[in-house]
Amino acid sequence: MSKELEALQTYFDLMSTNGMSYVFKIASEVGVFNTLASNKELSGKSIAKKLDLLEYPTCVLCDALVEMNVLTKNSEQYSLTPVMHFLSGNYQNLSSEYWEHFPHFLKTGEPFKKMDTTTDSEKEYQVQVKALEWMMGPCAKMAQTHAKELLDNIENVLDLGCGSGVWSMAFLQDKNPTRDTLVDWPAVLKVALDSAKSQGFTNQIETIEGNFHEANLKEDFYDLAILGNVTHIETPKGCQDLFNKSFKSLKSGGALVIHDVYGTHPKGEIPRLLYRLGLSVRTVQGRVHTPDEMRPWLEKAGFTRFEFKSLDVTPYSMGSFYAFKP
Ligand SMILES: C[S@@+](CC[C@H](N)C(=O)[O-])C[C@H]1O[C@@H](n2cnc3c(N)ncnc32)[C@H](O)[C@@H]1O
């Protein structure tokens, strides 16, 4: 591609991305999604009438939303696609508030949220982890396959900062005779337990409520310890503490796996960079620690062998860093 053509393509890509984000935001603000959520399907004319909008631009807006895969159109009737039913918490507005706060954050360093603080994390995550369960589902399934390739026997799994339990419950979904110990704040564990109940896993789950830094864990017991999207809300000191704890809780030959937004797939590069920006504005000191940065901390805890697995599935930005206990 010539330089001129590349510049023109970049311009059109920017215009499309910006336009799509406005179309989504406008539709959300004027109430298109809420109206369709309560009416199942409506014509463009009915949507416009219900929302007191002009018919023609409403129909064009809805057609753009169809192209963006958030609405479907059947015989002039629009309805929501599954993605709109899944979006909850801050994800419902695609985290717009974070971006709107960003100029202020750049100047003052004041984050929009403090999701990495012990005072705020429970209330924030109890509304976010259900959506994370959906987002991480395909990665968790793939990670489960990797773990079974890397470890001979996975009977007992420890999931620290489990959220919905998406990573550890992937073992139960695959009918492994596994028992999972989930550790998180009480309100978040409730979400995980609801998920376990709806999938029929209650008997294979144990929970430990409260701060994972203070949790009393069984020693030399687990085959696999999981830190899924957790190290990026911890300082290096916090990570070291979690690595030490995980090491003690693992059996000899067991492994700790750290799932995070490492972004090794080219398709994941934009999501990874946007994720880093988003993380900086919603935490006090959130940082994605790379495998190279974490390796000395893991060695200090006693781990001796390491392996990285890319999770080449949507959103293409996740990876798994395994550390083995000798
Ligand atoms: C980004 S979420 C990840 C959830 C889940 N592992 C996943 O990947 O979907 C981080 C989780 O760690 C939990 N968490 C953060 N700090 C914690 C602490 N000090 N003690 C216990 N849980 C904590 C949060 O409540 C939240 O569920």
Side-chain angles (χ1 to χ4, degrees):
M1 202 189 277
S2 71
K3 282 223 173 332
E4 289 76 14
L5 203 53
E6 198 179 317
L8 191 59
Q9 187 59 51
T10 305
Y11 163 77
F12 278 113
D13 289 347
L14 281 171
M15 280 298 273
S16 298
T17 312
N18 192 39
M20 284 198 296
S21 88
Y22 269 105
V23 164
F24 186 90
K25 196 168 182 293
I26 292 160
S28 182
E29 279 172 11
V30 298
V32 172
F33 301 135
N34 284 344
T35 306
L36 281 171
S38 41
N39 288 278
K40 278 208 160 154
E41 57 171 33
L42 288 172
S43 66
K45 189 175 178 181
S46 307
I47 296 172
K49 194 158 178 235
K50 279 183 185 294
L51 296 172
D52 201 15
L53 304 170
L54 295 176
E55 183 181 330
Y56 175 70
T58 303
C59 292
V60 180
L61 186 80
C62 288
D63 285 342
L65 292 164
V66 170
E67 214 40 50
M68 286 159 58
N69 214 12
V70 290
L71 298 188
T72 50
K73 188 178 183 182
N74 218 331
S75 318
E76 299 308 311
Q77 299 287 308
Y78 296 98
S79 54
L80 299 177
T81 59
V83 68
M84 293 312 299
H85 297 291
F86 279 116
L87 295 181
S88 61
N90 185 57
Y91 299 113
Q92 209 156 24
N93 65 11
L94 305 185
S95 311
S96 294
E97 297 122 327
Y98 296 164
W99 298 116
E100 278 153 21
H101 180 83
F102 218 98
H104 177 75
F105 169 64
L106 275 175
K107 288 189 188 130
T108 64
E110 262 174 54
F112 181 64
K113 300 222 169 188
K114 299 178 177 174
M115 293 180 74
D116 54 342
T117 58
T118 47
T119 44
D120 291 11
S121 93
E122 181 171 21
K123 85 170 162 14
E124 295 294 342
Y125 281 114
Q126 66 175 315
V127 289
Q128 305 287 355
V129 294
K130 198 66 199 160
L132 259 181
E133 177 181 50
W134 169 61
M135 292 179 210
M136 293 292 108
C139 286
K141 200 165 187 276
M142 186 176 276
Q144 184 263 147
T145 314
H146 289 158
K148 283 202 301 185
E149 284 162 13
L150 292 168
L151 292 160
D152 294 336
N153 190 25
I154 307 178
E155 266 174 50
N156 290 298
V157 175
L158 173 68
D159 194 346
L160 291 161
C162 64
S164 65
V166 59
W167 299 100
S168 47
M169 283 189 221
F171 291 90
L172 308 182
Q173 281 158 359
D174 203 43
K175 309 225 179 328
N176 294 299
T178 311
R179 291 196 60 81
D180 293 347
T181 303
L182 311 181
V183 189
D184 212 304
W185 304 112
V188 182
L189 279 179
K190 208 176 154 310
V191 180
L193 285 172
D194 284 349
S195 179
K197 193 172 167 199
S198 68
Q199 300 179 76
F201 301 146
T202 312
N203 292 338
Q204 285 161 278
I205 302 273
E206 266 176 44
T207 55
I208 302 178
E209 282 187 1
N211 191 340
F212 47 37
H213 289 291
E214 291 159 15
N216 253 331
L217 304 175
K218 288 181 188 157
E219 296 195 1
D220 299 311
F221 180 75
Y222 295 100
D223 304 287
L224 182 70
I226 301 173
L227 286 169
N229 294 305
V230 165
T231 46
H232 63 234
I233 47 170
E234 289 287 322
T235 59
K237 190 166 169 287
C239 289
Q240 185 70 62
D241 176 61
L242 291 174
F243 297 166
N244 295 346
K245 276 184 109 70
S246 304
F247 185 85
K248 276 197 201 138
S249 75
L250 284 167
K251 279 182 196 155
S252 167
L256 164 67
V257 59
I258 306 161
H259 303 297
D260 218 318
V261 187
Y262 303 120
T264 47
H265 194 286
K267 260 165 84 174
E269 205 39 28
I270 293 279
R272 183 182 75 85
L273 291 165
L274 293 177
Y275 184 82
R276 278 176 61 191
L277 277 177
L279 185 63
S280 69
V281 77
R282 65 186 163 84
T283 59
V284 181
Q285 43 197 358
R287 297 280 181 279
V288 177
H289 307 292
T290 64
D292 281 349
E293 279 163 352
M294 289 190 290
R295 197 177 156 134
W297 311 338
L298 290 159
E299 282 170 341
K300 196 168 168 200
F303 293 98
T304 50
R305 193 163 66 79
F306 304 92
E307 179 125 7
F308 183 81
K309 292 272 185 192
S310 184
L311 294 169
D312 290 342
V313 64
T314 305
Y316 289 94
S317 53
M318 299 291 299
S320 313
F321 187 39
Y322 288 82
F324 295 85
K325 178 169 176 172

